[in-house]
Structure formats: C-alpha cells, structure tokens
Amino acid sequence: MNCNNCPRRCATDRVTSLGFCHATAEPEAAAICIHRGEEPPISGQRGICNIFFAHCNLQCIYCQNRDISRALPSPTLASACVGVQAIVDRVQQLLPETENIVGFVSPTHYAHAIPAIVDELHRRGLFPTTVYNTGGYDSVETLRSLAPYIDIYLPDFKYSDPALALRYSHAADYPQVALAALREMYNQKGSALPTDERGLAFRGIIVRHLVLPGQVGNSLGVLDTLADLSTNLHIALMAQYFPPSDGLPDQLNRTLTQAEYDRVTAHLRHLGLYRGWVQELDSQAHYRPDFSRPNPFETDNR
C-alpha cells in the first residue's frame, strides 16, 4: 500500500519499505489494555479498552510512550498483537471488563485498518463506543473516511508555534494541519458531548493540550485558537509532562512549574473555556507507563 494516511504523505509502499513512522502494512498494537486514566466520560468506573498502536506519525522528542512510538523496528512487548484478527481477539477478551468503550491510541498511521477492526467487532456482535485518540496531525480526507466508524474524537492540539512544532515534532505545519483536522471533527460531531445515564459520552469531541515547560506562549496561542473555533468545546488541559529521557533540549529537562501552569489556566478561564477538565499539577508524578508490563498503567499487572 502506498501510504498517504497522514499529512506527511510519504506515499511509501509499506509492504516493501518503511516511511517516516516505520509502520508496516499490517496494524501493530504494541499494547491492548484496560485504562482507567482517561477523562471521566470515557473512563467511567471500569475504564476503556485502549489499543496502543506501535509507531507514530509525529515522533515527538518528549513522548511519554516513546518505548512504542519511536520510528524503530517493532519492539517485542508483553501484549503486542499484529493484524486485525489478533487485535480484535484481544479486545473481545477485555471489553466485558470495561465500560464498553474502545480507544484507538496514536492511530493515524493505521487509520486504514480501523474500519476493518470496527467491522470485525460488529460481526462478532460487539458494538462499543469508539474513541479516536490522536496526536492531532491528521488529514481531513482520512478523518472523513473514518466518520462512520468513530463516535468520539480525542485529539491533541499541541502547538500554535510552527517553529516549536518543527523542533519538537518535525512538523512545522502542525498548527494549520491540526486546526483543519479539528474543524473536520467539529463538522462531524459538533461541540456537544452527550452522555448516558451513567455519565459516559457516546458522541463528541474532547481536545487535549499538554502544557510544556518553558512554553507558556505556545499554550496561550493554542487556547486562543480553540476559543476562536468554539468556546463550547470540551478541553482537557494537562500538566503531566515529565522528562522521558536524559539529554532533552531546552526546557524539556524539567517539569512544569506552578507559576507557568497558573498563567495557562487563568487564560483558559479568561477565554470562557469552562467545559472540560484541568489536570492537577502533581499529575507529573504519575502517568508514566511501562510498556514492558501487560498493563502499562498498573503496577500489579492485572
């Protein structure tokens, strides 16, 4: 297949070679597990069944999932699955223990496989709510092709600063690409986030933004962009950044300060972005997945 799933448009034949993300033609899930750390309307009490795809089309230098996202040969991991059938087999095992929600995490480079995964779930009599949990660097064409298969979009909006996007994620065009993608998601779902009697969302958009240390101006610009689109969007503002490795450049060798986060949260309120969630600053001591374990987010390996 000549891949043009994402805005990089490598046109790589993934059967015979590897493009920017190093993904192969068959979908590779580096981990499939129950995750209870997502936003409340997605996690609920019992959690979501998340499919963490290997590789990524952004390659952010500070990625907390770097053990599985880097453009390297596929790692041997505790719960890796390759191919639609193997992925669905694992989801089918876990789904009854969850809120009947399936998340596709870092899915852009395997977007072509999502319809087949959803169709196979339906063929087996399984009809979960589906969540597209993306870094935000998506093409409008790909999102339109996924419209019948995705119930909730959960995109990051990482950058308003093109120079920062280039330096940290090799994508100077990220701000305009992510905005075009978000507009398409908005056109499909609107700004509402309807929930059922259990408080679980079944349609809509939640936009995430991770505040990076030393880059308050970038975050203020992101919030301005989101408010311009709609002040009714549900925003998840995140403070969990922790340096994933040694030797990172600039301010990335430290965590966010209270003063930096206060400036961003104050701007969020100033813009009238009241729908959503603001993560506690002490979250930076948590949310450190270990993909050598069957469940990267639980220490007891259940």
Side-chain angles (χ1 to χ4, degrees), residues 129-132 143-155 181-194 202-207 230 232-234 275:
T129 299
T130 54
V131 178
Y132 190 78
L143 293 172
R144 286 175 179 166
S145 74
L146 292 173
Y149 301 95
I150 300 300
D151 298 310
I152 298 169
Y153 286 109
L154 184 61
L182 183 56
R183 282 176 173 154
E184 174 59 27
M185 297 174 191
Y186 183 85
N187 288 340
Q188 291 182 24
K189 305 300 180 185
S191 61
L193 190 70
F202 53 85
R203 176 185 171 88
I205 306 170
I206 299 172
V207 185
S230 174
N232 290 322
L233 284 170
H234 289 75
R275 296 186 177 187

Side-chain angles (χ1 to χ4, degrees), residues 163-231:
L164 196 67
L166 176 63
R167 189 157 74 247
Y168 288 174
S169 298
H170 322 285
D173 60 348
Y174 182 98
Q176 62 263 37
V177 166
L179 180 56
L182 183 56
R183 282 176 173 154
E184 174 59 27
M185 297 174 191
Y186 183 85
N187 288 340
Q188 291 182 24
K189 305 300 180 185
S191 61
L193 190 70
T195 56
D196 63 17
E197 66 281 356
R198 299 169 297 165
L200 295 174
F202 53 85
R203 176 185 171 88
I205 306 170
I206 299 172
V207 185
R208 287 175 168 172
H209 175 65
L210 175 65
V211 183
L212 295 172
Q215 303 298 342
V216 168
N218 175 68
S219 292
L220 300 184
V222 165
L223 295 179
D224 288 339
T225 298
L226 297 177
D228 285 344
L229 179 60
S230 174
T231 55

Side-chain angles (χ1 to χ4, degrees), residues 211 216 220 254 256-266 281:
V211 183
V216 168
L220 300 184
R254 64 172 175 85
L256 192 66
T257 68
Q258 186 68 62
E260 288 172 325
Y261 201 42
D262 286 348
R263 285 184 61 195
V264 178
T265 55
L281 189 65

Side-chain angles (χ1 to χ4, degrees), residues 261-279:
Y261 201 42
D262 286 348
R263 285 184 61 195
V264 178
T265 55
H267 196 58
L268 180 84
R269 302 310 181 200
H270 171 73
L271 292 171
L273 294 168
Y274 292 109
R275 296 186 177 187
W277 304 266
V278 174
Q279 201 174 44

Side-chain angles (χ1 to χ4, degrees), residues 57-68:
N57 71 323
L58 275 175
Q59 297 297 307
C60 303
I61 63 174
Y62 54 85
C63 180
Q64 69 170 8
N65 295 350
R66 65 195 306 270
D67 289 344
I68 65 172

Side-chain angles (χ1 to χ4, degrees), residues 62 213 240-246 248 251-255 288:
Y62 54 85
Q240 69 187 48
Y241 175 79
F242 185 86
S245 62
D246 295 330
L248 290 172
Q251 294 91 346
L252 292 179
N253 284 310
R254 64 172 175 85
T255 55
R288 301 183 198 173

